[in-house]
C-alpha cells in the first residue's frame, strides 16, 4: 500500500469585516463575513513541513481588511472576485482561490444609525483559477416564508410505520437556502440579479398552490430562471417548518385550523436543483 497526498486546501475562515463609508452626514455600512481557501503547489508543506509555498492565513485576513479600505465593499461578488484574483495572481504557488462572503443586512434608522434586519443573510462563493477563469454562485439563506393556507399533502406512500394523516389545508413554512450560478459572471448583474432572484423566490412561494414542498421548490427555481436569463442554475434547500394543529378537545374547544404548535425538529428537508438544460458545466462552482 502506498500513502499519497490527496486534494487539499487551506485558508482563513470567518474574517468579520465592517466597512463604514462616510458621505458627509450620511454613513453607509457593509457588514460581511469572509472565508478564503487556497490550493496549489502545497505538497512539501504536508510531506516535509517546508512552508516556503505557504501564504500565512494571517496574511489572508489582513488582505481582506486592506482591500476593504482600499477598494471598499460594493456588491459582495465583486469583492470576492477581487480577493480571489489577487491571491492567485500574486502568489506563484497558489493555483486556485475560493472566496466565500456572507453579508448581514442593516436597515437605516437615521443618517448614521442602523438596526439589524432579521436573520436573512446574502451569500456568494467565488472560484478563480490560474488560467483566469472565474465562477460565481450567489444566494441567500434564512429567508423565512409562510403560507397559512393554499398547501396540501396527500396521496403519498403509506407503509406500516405511516401515521401522518393526509392534509388538504395546512400551514406551509420554510427557511429558504437558495444559491444560483451565473452562466457568465458579469459585475453589472450582481446587485440587480440578487434583488430579482429574491423577489422571484418569494413570489413563487406565495403564489403557488402547493401539493408538496417539492412542487413549490421547482416553481421557485423555475421562476428565477425564466426571469433572470443571466442565471443558469438554482439550488434550493427548503426545511419544512412543521406546524401541527393542537388538540383542544380535552378543553371542550374545537380547532378549525386556528391554533398550531410550531415544531423546530425533527423536520423534513427538501433539496433540489432547477437548471437551464443549455447551462455550461458547473465545475467546482458549488464546492
Amino acid at each position: 500500500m502506498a500513502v499519497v497526498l490527496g486534494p487539499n486546501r487551506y485558508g482563513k475562515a470567518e474574517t468579520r469585516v465592517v466597512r463604514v463609508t462616510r458621505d458627509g452626514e450620511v454613513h453607509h455600512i457593509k457588514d460581511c463575513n469572509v472565508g478564503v481557501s487556497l490550493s496549489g503547489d502545497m505538497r512539501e508543506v504536508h510531506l516535509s513541513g517546508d512552508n516556503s509555498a505557504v501564504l500565512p492565513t494571517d496574511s489572508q485576513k489582513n488582505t481582506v481588511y486592506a482591500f476593504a479600505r482600499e477598494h471598499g465593499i460594493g456588491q459582495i461578488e465583486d469583492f470576492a472576485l477581487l480577493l480571489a484574483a489577487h491571491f492567485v495572481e500574486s502568489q506563484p504557488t497558489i493555483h486556485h482561490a475560493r472566496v466565500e462572503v456572507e453579508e448581514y443586512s442593516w436597515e437605516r434608522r437615521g443618517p448614521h444609525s442602523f438596526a439589524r434586519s432579521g436573520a436573512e443573510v446574502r451569500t456568494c462563493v467565488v472560484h478563480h483559477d490560474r488560467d483566469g477563469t472565474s465562477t460565481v454562485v450567489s444566494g441567500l439563506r434564512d429567508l423565512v416564508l409562510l403560507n397559512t393556507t393554499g398547501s396540501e399533502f396527500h396521496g403519498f406512500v403509506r407503509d406500516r410505520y405511516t401515521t401522518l394523516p393526509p392534509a388538504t389545508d395546512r400551514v406551509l413554512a420554510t427557511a429558504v437556502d437558495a444559491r444560483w450560478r451565473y452562466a457568465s459572471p458579469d459585475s453589472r448583474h450582481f446587485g440587480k440579479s440578487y434583488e430579482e432572484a429574491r423577489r422571484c423566490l418569494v413570489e413563487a412561494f406565495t403564489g403557488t398552490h402547493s401539493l408538496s414542498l417539492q412542487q413549490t421548490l421547482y416553481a421557485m427555481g423555475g421562476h428565477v430562471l425564466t426571469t433572470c436569463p443571466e442565471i443558469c442554475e438554482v439550488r434550493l434547500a427548503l426545511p419544512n417548518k412543521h406546524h401541527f394543529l393542537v388538540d383542544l378537545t380535552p378543553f371542550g374547544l374545537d380547532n378549525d385550523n386556528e391554533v398550531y404548535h410550531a415544531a423546530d425538529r425533527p423536520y423534513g428537508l427538501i433539496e433540489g436543483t432547477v437548471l437551464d438544460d443549455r447551462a455550461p458545466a458547473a465545475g467546482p462552482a458549488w464546492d
Side-chain angles (χ1 to χ4, degrees):
M1 181 190 74
V3 177
V4 297
L5 177 66
N8 60 87
R9 62 188 183 190
Y10 80 107
K12 199 67 161 184
E14 299 200 43
T15 298
R16 282 298 300 270
V17 54
V18 177
R19 175 61 153 92
V20 177
T21 301
R22 301 171 184 271
D23 184 13
E25 288 288 321
V26 178
H27 295 178
H28 308 273
I29 190 171
K30 283 281 188 173
D31 183 358
C32 297
N33 194 29
V34 181
V36 176
S37 294
L38 307 179
S39 56
D41 186 10
M42 298 294 153
R43 175 180 171 82
E44 286 306 313
V45 67
H46 289 88
L47 301 188
S48 66
D50 179 355
N51 295 319
S52 59
V54 176
L55 177 69
T57 66
D58 190 67
S59 302
Q60 298 170 35
K61 173 202 69 178
N62 292 339
T63 303
V64 172
Y65 292 136
F67 273 42
R69 172 63 184 89
E70 294 174 349
H71 303 282
I73 303 176
Q75 301 299 328
I76 58 174
E77 293 87 351
D78 290 324
F79 190 60
L81 282 165
L82 193 66
L83 286 166
H86 165 79
F87 289 124
V88 172
E89 294 166 9
S90 66
Q91 301 298 324
T93 57
I94 303 300
H95 302 161
H96 181 89
R98 176 188 186 275
V99 177
E100 180 174 8
V101 182
E102 301 172 339
E103 180 180 354
Y104 309 108
S105 179
W106 292 82
E107 295 178 357
R108 182 173 297 282
R109 290 291 184 265
H112 48 263
S113 301
F114 302 85
R116 179 70 184 273
S117 53
E120 184 181 335
V121 178
R122 179 177 173 178
T123 66
C124 80
V125 176
V126 164
H127 289 266
H128 184 83
D129 286 307
R130 181 156 293 282
D131 65 3
T133 302
S134 295
T135 60
V136 178
V137 171
S138 300
L140 56 82
R141 72 167 190 268
D142 296 327
L143 169 61
V144 179
L145 301 174
L146 182 148
N147 287 335
T148 56
T149 190
S151 175
E152 308 178 33
F153 188 59
H154 48 79
F156 45 81
V157 172
R158 305 193 69 90
D159 67 6
R160 60 183 293 197
Y161 302 111
T162 301
T163 59
L164 183 72
T168 57
D169 187 7
R170 67 171 182 168
V171 169
L172 184 65
T174 189
V176 179
D177 184 338
R179 296 180 293 162
W180 50 87
R181 178 167 64 96
Y182 294 93
S184 179
D186 187 334
S187 62
R188 294 173 299 177
H189 293 150
F190 297 138
K192 181 180 178 182
S193 294
Y194 176 81
E195 297 298 333
E196 282 291 281
R198 186 187 185 282
R199 179 183 62 80
C200 288
L201 293 169
V202 174
E203 282 184 355
F205 180 88
T206 58
T208 299
H209 184 96
S210 179
L211 300 179
S212 67
L213 190 49
Q214 287 90 335
Q215 177 198 13
T216 301
L217 180 150
Y218 185 72
M220 293 167 73
H223 192 25
V224 172
L225 290 178
T226 56
T227 304
C228 306
E230 68 276 11
I231 294 173
C232 63
E233 184 175 357
V234 181
R235 295 192 180 187
L236 290 156
L238 303 180
N240 195 342
K241 299 291 190 179
H242 300 300
H243 287 64
F244 298 112
L245 278 171
V246 179
D247 181 9
L248 299 178
T249 55
F251 319 117
L253 299 171
D254 63 5
N255 189 5
D256 186 16
N257 291 332
E258 292 178 311
V259 180
Y260 298 86
H261 164 62
D264 65 342
R265 66 193 63 186
Y267 54 85
L269 180 60
I270 311 304
E271 300 176 284
T273 301
V274 185
L275 68 161
D276 182 337
D277 62 3
R278 302 164 298 177
W286 301 102
D287 181 18

